[in-house]
C-alpha cells in the first residue's frame, strides 16, 4: 500500500497539469480574444506610463 501513497501525489499533479493545459488551449482565441488582447494592451500601457513617471 505504500506504493499507492507514493504514486498518488504524482498522479494528482499530472491530472492537474493536464487540466491546466486543456484550459489554456481552450481559452485561446474565440469570443474572448479581443477582450484578452485589450487587457494585455492596457497592462502594457500602465507599465510604460509608470516607468516613464519613475524616470521624471
Amino acid at each position: 500500500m505504500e506504493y499507492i501513497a507514493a504514486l498518488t501525489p504524482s498522479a494528482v499533479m499530472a491530472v492537474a497539469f493536464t487540466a491546466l493545459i486543456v484550459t489554456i488551449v481552450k481559452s485561446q482565441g474565440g469570443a474572448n480574444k479581443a477582450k484578452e488582447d485589450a487587457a494585455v494592451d492596457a497592462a502594457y500601457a500602465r507599465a510604460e506610463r509608470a516607468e516613464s513617471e519613475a524616470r521624471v
Side-chain angles (χ1 to χ4, degrees), residues 27-44:
S27 69
Q28 299 301 308
N32 290 329
K33 184 166 179 40
K35 184 169 54 174
E36 292 170 359
D37 289 347
V40 170
D41 290 343
Y44 277 131

Side-chain angles (χ1 to χ4, degrees), residues 2-53:
E2 290 181 22
Y3 61 91
I4 293 176
L7 291 175
T8 300
S10 298
V12 169
M13 289 301 292
V15 169
F17 183 72
T18 303
L20 175 67
I21 296 302
V22 167
T23 302
I24 290 172
V25 169
K26 282 185 175 183
S27 69
Q28 299 301 308
N32 290 329
K33 184 166 179 40
K35 184 169 54 174
E36 292 170 359
D37 289 347
V40 170
D41 290 343
Y44 277 131
R46 279 193 304 265
E48 288 177 2
R49 193 176 321 117
E51 186 177 303
S52 65
E53 289 175 1

